[in-house]
């Protein structure tokens, strides 16, 4: 399965600033997924990043707040813009591991723990 | 509307016994169901999956059961080991995207 390097692993940011999270995959993948896990809650899909096209955002998430780049098939960034304390979460990127017989689950990065003060 | 639910936030079992984690879903369009394990400060790790056309899949100590009529799946861990202590998420997949439950924290006591 793919190996994902995600950074930074954690950050403490001031309200109103922006943070860009990077994910590097060791193989080429068509889709990369960005998730958020708020304290005590499940993983919520933010958007799907496809190389060469605009990211597809889920309900409740917008490009102005969470701009995504996907310059090639092994790399993606997620920016959390104009941050507020409500953005304090763990942010994870992931790729799907597909086998001949079907999906073998997602491989996740180790996550970015963001605290906004 | 939460499409994937894990109604038990926590479960505690004795080492060597069976752990049963449950998950319910509402969307009949899901084509695969998956279980993940998550340790603190790490991303979730894939454990086992099951296609919607099957009712059981086994991998070592882990077995997933799917009851489509009840829209229910469960993960059985036998025998449970202290290293299994983690948060377990079930997820349901449709069109390549997965929806996750809230997780169940499993504690296996030595």
């Amino acid at each position: 399965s793919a190996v994902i390097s995600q950074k930074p692993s954690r950050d403490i940011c001031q309200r109103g600033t922006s943070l860009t999270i990077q994910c590097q995959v060791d193989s080429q993948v068509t889709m990369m997924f960005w998730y958020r896990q708020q304290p005590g809650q499940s993983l919520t899909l933010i958007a799907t990043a496809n190389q060469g096209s605009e990211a597809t955002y889920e309900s409740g998430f917008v490009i102005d707040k969470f701009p995504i780049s996907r310059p090639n098939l092994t790399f993606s960034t997620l920016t959390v813009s104009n941050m507020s304390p409500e953005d304090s979460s763990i942010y994870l990127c992931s790729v799907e591991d597909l086998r001949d017989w079907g999906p073998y689950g997602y491989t996740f990065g180790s996550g970015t723990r963001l605290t906004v003060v | 509307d939460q499409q994937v639910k894990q109604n038990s936030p926590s479960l505690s079992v004795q080492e060597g016994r069976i752990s049963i984690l449950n998950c319910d879903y509402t969307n009949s369009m899901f084509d695969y169901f998956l279980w993940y394990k998550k340790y603190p400060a790490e991303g979730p790790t894939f454990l086992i999956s099951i296609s919607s056309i099957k009712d059981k899949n086994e991998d070592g100590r882990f077995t997933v059961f799917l009851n489509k009529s009840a829209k229910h799946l469960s993960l059985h861990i036998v025998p449970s080991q202290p290293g299994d202590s983690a948060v377990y998420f079930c997820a349901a997949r449709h069109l390549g995207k997965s929806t996750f439950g809230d997780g169940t924290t499993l504690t296996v006591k030595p």
Side-chain angles (χ1 to χ4, degrees), chain A residues 41-71:
Chain A
Q41 297 187 25
S42 184
L43 288 79
T44 302
L45 181 63
I46 298 172
T48 303
N50 300 302
Q51 194 271 333
S53 64
E54 291 280 335
T56 305
Y57 288 83
E58 298 300 306
S59 175
F61 298 96
V62 294
I63 187 171
D64 290 346
K65 176 67 176 177
F66 297 101
I68 287 172
S69 78
R70 185 82 202 275

Short mmCIF file of all heavy atoms in Angstrom, two decimals, chain A residues 41-71:
data_model
loop_
_atom_site.label_atom_id
_atom_site.label_comp_id
_atom_site.label_asym_id
_atom_site.label_seq_id
_atom_site.Cartn_x
_atom_site.Cartn_y
_atom_site.Cartn_z
N GLN A 41 -15.00 13.61 17.67
CA GLN A 41 -15.92 13.29 16.57
C GLN A 41 -15.25 12.40 15.53
O GLN A 41 -14.07 12.08 15.63
CB GLN A 41 -16.41 14.60 15.92
CG GLN A 41 -17.21 15.47 16.85
CD GLN A 41 -17.82 16.65 16.14
OE1 GLN A 41 -18.06 16.63 14.93
NE2 GLN A 41 -18.10 17.70 16.88
N SER A 42 -16.03 12.04 14.54
CA SER A 42 -15.52 11.14 13.51
C SER A 42 -14.77 11.92 12.44
O SER A 42 -14.61 13.13 12.51
CB SER A 42 -16.69 10.39 12.87
OG SER A 42 -16.21 9.45 11.95
N LEU A 43 -14.31 11.19 11.45
CA LEU A 43 -13.64 11.81 10.31
C LEU A 43 -14.69 12.31 9.33
O LEU A 43 -15.59 11.57 8.93
CB LEU A 43 -12.74 10.80 9.61
CG LEU A 43 -11.46 10.39 10.33
CD1 LEU A 43 -11.74 9.35 11.40
CD2 LEU A 43 -10.44 9.86 9.34
N THR A 44 -14.56 13.55 8.93
CA THR A 44 -15.47 14.16 7.99
C THR A 44 -14.71 14.54 6.73
O THR A 44 -13.70 15.23 6.81
CB THR A 44 -16.12 15.42 8.60
OG1 THR A 44 -16.80 15.07 9.80
CG2 THR A 44 -17.10 16.04 7.62
N LEU A 45 -15.23 14.10 5.60
CA LEU A 45 -14.57 14.40 4.34
C LEU A 45 -14.73 15.87 4.00
O LEU A 45 -15.85 16.38 3.96
CB LEU A 45 -15.15 13.53 3.22
CG LEU A 45 -14.55 13.71 1.83
CD1 LEU A 45 -13.07 13.31 1.82
CD2 LEU A 45 -15.33 12.88 0.80
N ILE A 46 -13.61 16.54 3.74
CA ILE A 46 -13.63 17.94 3.33
C ILE A 46 -13.77 18.04 1.82
O ILE A 46 -14.66 18.73 1.31
CB ILE A 46 -12.34 18.67 3.77
CG1 ILE A 46 -12.20 18.66 5.30
CG2 ILE A 46 -12.30 20.09 3.21
CD1 ILE A 46 -10.86 19.17 5.79
N ALA A 47 -12.88 17.33 1.12
CA ALA A 47 -12.87 17.45 -0.34
C ALA A 47 -12.06 16.32 -0.95
O ALA A 47 -11.25 15.68 -0.28
CB ALA A 47 -12.29 18.79 -0.77
N THR A 48 -12.30 16.11 -2.22
CA THR A 48 -11.54 15.16 -3.03
C THR A 48 -10.69 15.94 -4.00
O THR A 48 -11.21 16.80 -4.74
CB THR A 48 -12.48 14.22 -3.79
OG1 THR A 48 -13.33 13.56 -2.85
CG2 THR A 48 -11.69 13.19 -4.57
N ALA A 49 -9.40 15.67 -4.01
CA ALA A 49 -8.47 16.41 -4.87
C ALA A 49 -8.06 15.54 -6.05
O ALA A 49 -7.50 14.46 -5.87
CB ALA A 49 -7.24 16.83 -4.07
N ASN A 50 -8.35 16.00 -7.25
CA ASN A 50 -7.98 15.30 -8.47
C ASN A 50 -6.90 16.09 -9.20
O ASN A 50 -6.98 17.32 -9.26
CB ASN A 50 -9.19 15.15 -9.39
CG ASN A 50 -10.30 14.36 -8.75
OD1 ASN A 50 -10.12 13.24 -8.35
ND2 ASN A 50 -11.46 14.98 -8.64
N GLN A 51 -5.94 15.41 -9.74
CA GLN A 51 -4.88 16.10 -10.46
C GLN A 51 -5.42 16.68 -11.75
O GLN A 51 -6.10 15.99 -12.51
CB GLN A 51 -3.73 15.13 -10.74
CG GLN A 51 -2.46 15.82 -11.16
CD GLN A 51 -2.33 16.03 -12.66
OE1 GLN A 51 -2.92 15.27 -13.43
NE2 GLN A 51 -1.59 17.03 -13.08
N GLY A 52 -5.15 17.95 -11.96
CA GLY A 52 -5.55 18.58 -13.21
C GLY A 52 -6.94 19.16 -13.23
O GLY A 52 -7.40 19.64 -14.27
N SER A 53 -7.64 19.09 -12.12
CA SER A 53 -8.98 19.68 -12.08
C SER A 53 -9.24 20.26 -10.70
O SER A 53 -8.47 20.02 -9.76
CB SER A 53 -10.04 18.64 -12.44
OG SER A 53 -10.05 17.61 -11.46
N GLU A 54 -10.31 21.00 -10.60
CA GLU A 54 -10.68 21.59 -9.31
C GLU A 54 -11.06 20.50 -8.31
O GLU A 54 -11.64 19.48 -8.68
CB GLU A 54 -11.88 22.53 -9.50
CG GLU A 54 -11.59 23.80 -10.27
CD GLU A 54 -10.94 24.85 -9.40
OE1 GLU A 54 -11.13 24.81 -8.18
OE2 GLU A 54 -10.23 25.70 -9.94
N ALA A 55 -10.76 20.76 -7.07
CA ALA A 55 -11.17 19.83 -6.04
C ALA A 55 -12.69 19.83 -5.90
O ALA A 55 -13.35 20.84 -6.19
CB ALA A 55 -10.52 20.20 -4.71
N THR A 56 -13.22 18.72 -5.46
CA THR A 56 -14.66 18.59 -5.23
C THR A 56 -14.91 18.66 -3.73
O THR A 56 -14.43 17.82 -2.98
CB THR A 56 -15.18 17.25 -5.77
OG1 THR A 56 -14.83 17.14 -7.15
CG2 THR A 56 -16.69 17.18 -5.62
N TYR A 57 -15.70 19.67 -3.31
CA TYR A 57 -15.91 19.91 -1.89
C TYR A 57 -17.23 19.30 -1.42
O TYR A 57 -18.23 19.31 -2.14
CB TYR A 57 -15.89 21.41 -1.60
CG TYR A 57 -14.51 22.01 -1.71
CD1 TYR A 57 -13.99 22.37 -2.95
CD2 TYR A 57 -13.71 22.16 -0.59
CE1 TYR A 57 -12.71 22.88 -3.06
CE2 TYR A 57 -12.43 22.67 -0.68
CZ TYR A 57 -11.93 23.03 -1.93
OH TYR A 57 -10.66 23.52 -2.03
N GLU A 58 -17.22 18.81 -0.20
CA GLU A 58 -18.43 18.27 0.40
C GLU A 58 -19.27 19.41 0.97
O GLU A 58 -18.79 20.53 1.16
CB GLU A 58 -18.05 17.28 1.51
CG GLU A 58 -17.27 16.08 1.01
CD GLU A 58 -18.03 15.27 -0.03
OE1 GLU A 58 -19.18 14.88 0.26
OE2 GLU A 58 -17.48 15.05 -1.12
N SER A 59 -20.51 19.06 1.25
CA SER A 59 -21.42 20.05 1.81
C SER A 59 -20.85 20.62 3.11
O SER A 59 -20.41 19.87 3.99
CB SER A 59 -22.78 19.39 2.06
OG SER A 59 -23.66 20.28 2.71
N GLY A 60 -20.87 21.93 3.21
CA GLY A 60 -20.38 22.59 4.41
C GLY A 60 -18.93 23.06 4.31
O GLY A 60 -18.45 23.74 5.22
N PHE A 61 -18.27 22.73 3.22
CA PHE A 61 -16.88 23.14 3.02
C PHE A 61 -16.78 23.89 1.70
O PHE A 61 -17.37 23.48 0.70
CB PHE A 61 -15.95 21.92 2.99
CG PHE A 61 -15.94 21.14 4.28
CD1 PHE A 61 -16.75 20.02 4.43
CD2 PHE A 61 -15.14 21.53 5.34
CE1 PHE A 61 -16.75 19.30 5.62
CE2 PHE A 61 -15.13 20.82 6.52
CZ PHE A 61 -15.94 19.70 6.66
N VAL A 62 -16.03 24.99 1.71
CA VAL A 62 -15.92 25.83 0.52
C VAL A 62 -14.46 26.10 0.19
O VAL A 62 -13.58 26.09 1.06
CB VAL A 62 -16.68 27.16 0.70
CG1 VAL A 62 -18.17 26.91 0.82
CG2 VAL A 62 -16.14 27.94 1.89
N ILE A 63 -14.24 26.37 -1.09
CA ILE A 63 -12.88 26.54 -1.59
C ILE A 63 -12.18 27.74 -0.97
O ILE A 63 -10.97 27.72 -0.74
CB ILE A 63 -12.89 26.62 -3.13
CG1 ILE A 63 -11.46 26.62 -3.69
CG2 ILE A 63 -13.66 27.83 -3.60
CD1 ILE A 63 -11.40 26.47 -5.19
N ASP A 64 -12.92 28.80 -0.69
CA ASP A 64 -12.29 29.99 -0.12
C ASP A 64 -11.70 29.71 1.25
O ASP A 64 -10.71 30.32 1.64
CB ASP A 64 -13.30 31.13 -0.03
CG ASP A 64 -13.68 31.67 -1.39
OD1 ASP A 64 -12.96 31.34 -2.37
OD2 ASP A 64 -14.68 32.39 -1.48
N LYS A 65 -12.33 28.83 1.98
CA LYS A 65 -11.88 28.51 3.34
C LYS A 65 -10.81 27.42 3.32
O LYS A 65 -9.87 27.46 4.10
CB LYS A 65 -13.08 28.04 4.17
CG LYS A 65 -12.75 27.58 5.58
CD LYS A 65 -12.26 28.73 6.44
CE LYS A 65 -12.04 28.25 7.89
NZ LYS A 65 -11.49 29.34 8.72
N PHE A 66 -10.96 26.46 2.41
CA PHE A 66 -10.05 25.31 2.35
C PHE A 66 -9.52 25.12 0.93
O PHE A 66 -9.82 24.10 0.28
CB PHE A 66 -10.77 24.04 2.81
CG PHE A 66 -11.25 24.06 4.23
CD1 PHE A 66 -12.57 24.32 4.53
CD2 PHE A 66 -10.36 23.83 5.28
CE1 PHE A 66 -13.01 24.33 5.85
CE2 PHE A 66 -10.79 23.84 6.60
CZ PHE A 66 -12.12 24.09 6.88
N PRO A 67 -8.75 26.07 0.42
CA PRO A 67 -8.20 25.88 -0.93
C PRO A 67 -7.25 24.68 -0.98
O PRO A 67 -6.49 24.43 -0.04
CB PRO A 67 -7.47 27.19 -1.21
CG PRO A 67 -7.26 27.83 0.12
CD PRO A 67 -8.36 27.36 1.02
N ILE A 68 -7.34 23.94 -2.06
CA ILE A 68 -6.57 22.71 -2.25
C ILE A 68 -5.79 22.81 -3.54
O ILE A 68 -6.30 23.28 -4.56
CB ILE A 68 -7.50 21.48 -2.29
CG1 ILE A 68 -8.05 21.17 -0.89
CG2 ILE A 68 -6.79 20.26 -2.85
CD1 ILE A 68 -9.13 20.10 -0.89
N SER A 69 -4.55 22.37 -3.50
CA SER A 69 -3.77 22.26 -4.73
C SER A 69 -3.43 20.80 -4.98
O SER A 69 -3.30 20.00 -4.05
CB SER A 69 -2.48 23.09 -4.64
OG SER A 69 -1.51 22.41 -3.87
N ARG A 70 -3.33 20.45 -6.26
CA ARG A 70 -2.96 19.07 -6.64
C ARG A 70 -2.11 19.19 -7.90
O ARG A 70 -2.56 18.89 -9.01
CB ARG A 70 -4.23 18.26 -6.89
CG ARG A 70 -3.95 16.81 -7.17
CD ARG A 70 -3.73 16.02 -5.90
NE ARG A 70 -2.99 14.82 -6.16
CZ ARG A 70 -3.54 13.68 -6.57
NH1 ARG A 70 -4.84 13.59 -6.78
NH2 ARG A 70 -2.79 12.62 -6.78
N PRO A 71 -0.86 19.62 -7.76
CA PRO A 71 -0.04 19.90 -8.93
C PRO A 71 0.40 18.66 -9.70
O PRO A 71 0.72 18.76 -10.88
CB PRO A 71 1.18 20.61 -8.32
CG PRO A 71 1.25 20.12 -6.92
CD PRO A 71 -0.18 19.92 -6.48
#
